[in-house]
């Protein structure tokens, strides 16, 4: 929501101990989001039918229909009818200050979900992506992946602030892929006490995004590559950019592309989101995508990616 004024004008310094305020907003926009859903949406656009496994509330039916129409399998989502699906409600004023509230709702029930029934029903999973959600649920899923020898990727992102070093090590240890941005990687190292080399002893490959400076991919054997971003036409909204990168990268790997090509596809998806309001409002035009890939990484890269995705 947007408040056409300044919050500070309604705050009385001598009355901050008993604030009671209501702001008349002039705009309300509801956007679909959530890390798991954002990544799944991007995978669906790229022709990979991901299986969404998460906890949702009684209000999820319309959202499920949207995701299904965009190639996401929602048949294994767990519905808890006594709560609502997690959501973030935020009001922004003219100075770009924000007052927001996050309702966890069904997210807190993710810790009750077991992976085995869904993995068995679909005949096996090539990769389990554990992204930011209920911290206890994330840890349970990582433990189950190790116990059942499921390949998994760790993507703690926003929940690093909630986790201590012991929990971070429990989540990350044994992951095939570790996703983070550069700040989150520093926070992870600070909380665990790990050096950069020790991080790589825990995971197969570290994928670290650096905003406009692109992405760095480092493997446990020390090999390293850097992939620049796809230049944006305009910067509109950064919400969901990281999720779109992950969708593109995972789709590339699923289609047997190498690390570099997968990161290039992820960078394209991230830029498409950056150019759009909201994390699931973008569209993928394959002809335009090939042109932008060729312009950023050369015709060979564009052809390889297009061939792998069946464009």
């Amino acid at each position: 929501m947007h408040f056409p004024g300044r919050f500070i004008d309604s705050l009385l310094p001598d009355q901050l101990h008993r604030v009671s305020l209501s702001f008349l907003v002039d705009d309300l926009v509801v956007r679909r989001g959530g890390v798991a859903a954002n990544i799944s949406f991007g995978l669906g656009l790229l022709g990979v039918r991901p299986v969404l496994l998460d906890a949702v509330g009684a209000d999820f039916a319309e959202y499920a229909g949207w995701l299904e129409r965009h190639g996401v399998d929602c048949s294994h989502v767990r519905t808890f009818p006594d709560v609502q699906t997690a959501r973030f409600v935020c009001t922004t004023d003219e100075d770009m200050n924000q007052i927001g509230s996050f309702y966890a709702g069904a997210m807190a029930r993710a810790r009750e979900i077991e992976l085995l029934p869904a993995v068995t029903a679909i005949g096996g999973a090539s990769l389990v992506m554990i992204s930011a959600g209920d911290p206890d649920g994330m840890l349970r899923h990582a433990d189950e992946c190790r116990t059942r020898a499921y390949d998994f990727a760790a993507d703690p992102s926003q929940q690093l602030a909630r986790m201590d070093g012991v929990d971070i090590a429990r989540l990350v240890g044994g992951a095939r892929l570790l996703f983070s941005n550069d700040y989150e990687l520093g926070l992870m190292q600070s909380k665990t006490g790990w050096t950069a080399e020790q991080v790589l002893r825990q995971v197969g490959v570290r994928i670290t995004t650096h905003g406009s400076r692109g992405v760095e991919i480092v493997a446990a054997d020390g090999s390293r590559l850097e992939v620049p971003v796809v230049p944006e036409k305009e910067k509109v909204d950064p919400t969901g950019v990281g999720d779109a990168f992950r969708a593109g990268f995972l789709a590339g790997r699923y289609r047997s592309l190498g690390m570099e090509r997968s990161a290039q596809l992820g960078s394209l998806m991230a830029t498409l989101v950056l150019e759009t309001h909201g994390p699931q409002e973008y569209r993928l035009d394959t002809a335009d995508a090939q042109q932008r890939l060729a312009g950023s990484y050369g015709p060979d890269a564009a052809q390889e990616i297009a061939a792998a995705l069946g464009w």
Side-chain angles (χ1 to χ4, degrees):
M1 293 173 285
H2 173 254
F3 171 58
R6 302 168 70 236
F7 294 142
I8 194 172
D9 294 335
S10 299
L11 296 173
L12 302 175
D14 61 338
Q15 299 293 317
L16 295 180
H17 62 289
R18 56 187 191 96
V19 174
S20 179
L21 293 171
S22 177
F23 298 100
L24 181 63
V25 300
D26 63 3
D27 186 44
L28 168 65
V29 179
V30 180
R31 300 198 187 280
R32 302 173 183 90
V35 176
N38 290 343
I39 296 174
S40 296
F41 177 86
L43 284 164
L45 285 187
L46 291 168
V48 177
R49 184 166 173 79
V51 177
L52 179 63
L53 184 62
D54 212 335
V56 301
D59 58 337
F60 187 68
E62 186 275 334
Y63 198 171
W66 162 267
L67 292 171
E68 287 281 0
R69 291 194 299 273
H70 289 88
V72 180
D73 182 349
C74 295
S75 61
H76 297 281
V77 168
R78 283 278 303 277
T79 300
F80 294 88
D82 58 321
V83 290
Q84 301 291 298
T85 304
R87 69 193 63 192
F88 178 64
V89 181
C90 182
T91 304
T92 305
D93 73 0
E94 290 291 296
D95 292 334
M96 298 303 291
N97 295 312
Q98 293 184 322
I99 296 176
S101 299
F102 181 78
Y103 168 73
M107 187 184 83
R109 311 287 277 278
R111 66 191 67 177
E112 301 176 29
I113 295 175
E114 183 182 13
L115 302 178
L116 179 63
V119 173
T120 301
I122 64 176
S126 58
L127 184 74
V128 177
M129 178 72 167
I130 305 174
S131 288
D134 171 57
D136 288 339
M138 296 164 69
L139 294 174
R140 173 178 178 172
H141 301 331
D143 288 342
E144 185 176 355
C145 285
R146 284 185 290 265
T147 298
R148 302 191 188 281
Y150 298 156
D151 283 342
F152 73 100
D155 177 26
S157 57
Q158 300 99 320
Q159 295 296 19
L160 284 171
R162 288 274 306 274
M163 293 179 159
D164 60 22
V166 173
D167 283 345
I168 293 170
R170 180 179 160 194
L171 172 66
V172 168
R176 180 176 171 187
L177 304 171
L178 171 63
F179 289 93
S180 74
N181 61 32
D182 49 351
Y183 179 83
E184 291 161 353
L185 177 62
L187 181 60
M188 184 186 308
Q189 291 181 239
S190 174
K191 288 196 169 189
T192 60
W194 291 339
T195 64
E197 291 74 19
Q198 288 173 320
V199 172
L200 290 175
R201 293 175 195 164
Q202 305 295 321
V203 302
V205 179
R206 169 173 67 80
I207 302 110
T208 309
T209 56
H210 293 263
S212 61
R213 293 181 288 120
V215 59
E216 175 189 49
I217 301 175
V218 185
D221 63 7
S223 59
R224 178 187 306 264
L225 66 90
E226 297 181 357
V227 175
V229 300
V230 173
E232 74 278 355
K233 297 174 182 176
E234 59 177 332
K235 293 181 180 179
V236 175
D237 181 3
T239 308
V241 166
D243 298 335
F245 171 81
R246 287 152 174 75
F249 185 90
L250 293 173
R253 295 299 292 159
Y254 184 75
R255 297 300 185 193
S256 300
L257 288 170
M259 292 287 179
E260 183 175 24
R261 296 288 184 255
S262 296
Q264 290 167 345
L265 177 59
S267 296
L268 169 69
M269 297 291 283
T271 297
L272 293 178
V273 170
L274 181 62
E275 297 170 344
T276 310
H277 284 292
Q280 294 181 32
E281 310 303 318
Y282 66 105
R283 294 295 177 265
L284 179 66
D285 181 299
T286 57
D288 178 68
Q290 290 181 66
Q291 289 182 356
R292 297 186 73 171
L293 286 168
S296 299
Y297 307 118
D300 289 346
Q303 290 172 11
E304 286 182 37
I305 293 171
L309 296 177
W311 291 351

